[in-house]
């Protein structure tokens, strides 16, 4: 168990070693139990978190804000539009200044080819730890909540369990690629065989796919890429199907939407779920395009764990804050 995480940033999924992630999950289980029995746990009394958003959020904002209060501290919600960032505050200045006001800085910045650089620049200048609430490349806290949920449903030993990380059609907007990228990086470390499934134009960043393959080799797990939704679902223990934009093919939203519209049959429905293991769980980070990305029958059905998954955001984030911000 690696216990000294004070002051550490969590920006990429692999910033914490496997052992450090195990520590974080141990703390998350303990915090979940404490909340269940109403046991106070004010580990961060008088501490503050600055939460800087460049992009909208429901779960991330609410779970960080509530989590910080439950730990006895305070979280400040800051929207980039209501700051002086557009009038000249640079990322380095934000790191220097917010790092002096707050005991931790959390940032969501999903702009393609901008967000991750921004967060790293803030982190380099900040004396307080920086937590990535989602960027263009990674969504580490979503992925930690996903891992916790899979362990709850499938047991702590996930060796030889198959997760399919599948693209799905959505019509609302071109969603970031950070969720599937985080999943394929983290899950091999915990023994899961990963199948990544997408139409050819929806590939992920080549360096992330290569790193995921390297992680799978290191941990002796399976990793494959297929381009057929049904093939991906076959015999899966965990179905994780969501939409993302074809950003590696085009970052033009009009061209991207046109590409996306070619694949409207990539919907998670009861027929496709039947291809998975009969005990398979269905996961989605939300928000989903209901009856477009996934049918309501699946989303609200017995295999869906989406609400437990959303709840676990709270517990893993509290664990990360308690470990890094004291
Ligand atoms: N899953 C997730 O990050 O949700 P929000 O965008 O609502 O924060």
């Amino acid at each position: 168990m690696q216990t000294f995480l004070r002051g550490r940033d969590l920006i990429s999924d692999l910033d914490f070693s496997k052992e450090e992630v195990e520590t974080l999950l141990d703390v998350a289980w303990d915090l979940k139990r404490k909340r269940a029995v109403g046991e106070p746990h004010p580990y961060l009394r008088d501490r503050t978190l600055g939460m800087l958003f460049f992009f909208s959020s429901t779960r991330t904002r609410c779970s960080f804000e509530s989590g910080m209060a439950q730990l006895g501290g305070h979280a400040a919600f800051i929207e980039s539009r209501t700051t002086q960032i557009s009038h000249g505050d640079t990322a380095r200045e934000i790191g220097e200044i917010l790092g002096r006001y707050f005991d931790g800085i959390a940032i969501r910045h999903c702009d393609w080819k901008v967000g991750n650089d921004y967060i790293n620049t803030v982190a380099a200048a900040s004396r307080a730890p920086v937590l990535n609430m989602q960027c263009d490349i990674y969504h580490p806290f979503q992925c930690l909540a996903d891992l916790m949920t899979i362990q709850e449903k499938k047991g702590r030993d996930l060796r030889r369990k198959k997760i399919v990380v599948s693209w799905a059609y959505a019509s609302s907007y071109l969603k970031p690629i950070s969720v599937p990228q985080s999943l394929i990086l983290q899950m091999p470390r915990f023994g899961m065989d990963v199948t990544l499934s997408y139409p050819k134009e929806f590939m992920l960043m080549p360096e992330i796919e290569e790193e995921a393959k390297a992680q799978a080799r290191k941990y002796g797990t399976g990793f494959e890429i297929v381009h057929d939704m049904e093939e991906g679902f076959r015999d899966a223990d965990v179905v994780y199907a969501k939409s993302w934009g074809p950003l590696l093919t085009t970052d033009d939203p009009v061209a991207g939407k046109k590409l996306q519209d070619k694949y409207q049959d990539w919907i998670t429905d009861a027929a496709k779920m039947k291809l998975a293991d009969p005990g398979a769980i269905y996961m989605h980070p939300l928000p989903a395009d209901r009856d477009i990305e996934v049918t309501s029958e699946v989303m609200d059905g017995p295999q869906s764990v989406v609400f437990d998954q959303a709840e676990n955001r709270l517990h893993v984030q509290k664990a990360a804050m308690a470990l890094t911000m004291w």
Side-chain angles (χ1 to χ4, degrees):
M1 189 176 194
Q2 293 298 317
T3 53
F4 192 75
L5 291 162
R6 185 180 185 187
R8 289 275 298 277
D9 301 325
L10 182 46
I11 298 172
S12 145
D13 296 274
L14 304 185
D15 283 353
F16 282 14
S17 68
K18 177 174 188 266
E19 219 177 320
E20 288 166 344
V21 172
E22 284 167 348
T23 300
L24 188 150
L25 289 174
D26 280 345
V27 175
W29 297 113
D30 182 50
L31 292 171
K32 187 166 185 174
R33 183 193 64 76
K34 284 189 163 86
R35 182 161 164 77
V37 296
E39 191 177 316
H41 41 277
Y43 300 137
L44 295 180
R45 213 169 49 198
D46 304 329
R47 303 254 158 192
T48 57
L49 174 74
M51 303 187 302
L52 176 56
F53 283 88
F54 290 79
F55 190 74
S56 55
S57 165
T58 305
R59 281 144 291 271
T60 304
R61 175 189 174 179
C62 296
S63 52
F64 266 104
E65 195 164 329
S66 179
M68 196 59 196
Q70 290 166 23
L71 290 167
H74 172 75
F77 172 65
I78 310 157
E79 242 189 328
S80 62
R81 279 177 302 174
T82 56
T83 66
Q84 299 283 31
I85 289 172
S86 63
H87 296 153
D89 281 335
T90 67
R92 190 173 162 276
E93 288 162 3
I94 289 291
E96 273 285 355
I97 296 164
L98 297 196
R100 295 175 190 222
Y101 297 157
F102 295 107
D103 301 293
I105 303 172
I107 304 174
R108 169 171 281 195
H109 197 328
C110 300
D111 288 1
W112 181 234
K113 296 183 179 165
V114 177
N116 184 262
D117 282 348
Y118 185 91
I119 296 175
N120 276 297
T121 304
V122 172
S126 169
R127 60 178 67 171
V130 170
L131 305 176
N132 179 359
M133 296 194 292
Q134 188 179 18
C135 68
D136 49 330
I137 303 178
Y138 310 109
H139 198 351
F141 289 103
Q142 181 63 55
C143 190
L144 291 168
D146 299 339
L147 179 56
M148 185 177 185
T149 309
I150 295 169
Q151 288 190 338
E152 271 177 352
K153 307 298 177 189
K154 294 287 170 191
R156 305 283 173 102
D157 182 0
L158 296 174
R159 275 174 299 176
R160 302 276 71 92
K161 297 276 186 225
K162 172 179 170 177
I163 180 170
V164 57
V165 178
S166 179
W167 187 84
Y169 175 66
S171 58
S172 53
Y173 72 109
L174 302 180
K175 303 185 184 192
I177 60 175
S178 48
V179 168
Q181 296 206 139
S182 286
L183 287 167
I184 67 170
L185 289 174
Q186 190 70 270
M187 294 307 165
R189 303 208 291 184
F190 289 85
M192 296 203 83
D193 295 330
V194 174
T195 295
L196 175 62
S197 174
Y198 54 72
K200 284 202 168 67
E201 300 93 330
F202 291 79
M203 74 283 267
L204 301 179
M205 291 167 68
E207 58 270 41
I208 298 287
E209 291 188 354
E210 286 311 308
E211 181 57 46
K213 285 179 200 162
Q215 291 295 318
R217 278 195 299 276
K218 182 173 172 186
Y219 290 97
T221 62
F223 185 90
E224 62 171 350
I225 299 177
V226 300
H227 302 294
D228 181 288
M229 199 178 194
E230 277 90 354
E231 186 186 343
F233 273 42
R234 215 169 292 283
D235 301 323
D237 299 287
V238 177
V239 171
Y240 201 122
K242 76 171 300 295
S243 192
W244 64 82
L247 293 169
L248 276 296
T249 303
T250 175
D251 52 14
D252 173 55
V254 176
K257 176 85 174 72
K258 222 180 220 172
L259 274 180
Q260 195 148 284
D261 286 345
K262 280 170 57 181
Y263 299 105
Q264 299 192 21
D265 57 336
W266 283 61
I267 178 171
T268 304
D269 56 17
K272 290 200 190 76
M273 285 302 292
K274 281 206 174 72
L275 298 169
D277 183 84
I281 54 173
Y282 168 77
M283 302 183 76
H284 193 294
L286 306 178
D289 289 20
R290 264 183 186 260
D291 298 311
I292 294 171
E293 213 173 336
V294 51
T295 60
S296 291
E297 184 186 6
V298 170
M299 178 86 106
D300 301 326
Q303 289 171 284
S304 174
V305 298
V306 295
F307 299 123
D308 290 340
Q309 185 184 357
E311 178 189 331
N312 285 335
R313 293 291 303 275
L314 176 72
H315 308 301
V316 297
Q317 289 158 197
K318 283 169 69 180
M321 292 189 286
L323 285 162
T324 62
M325 287 173 56
W326 57 279

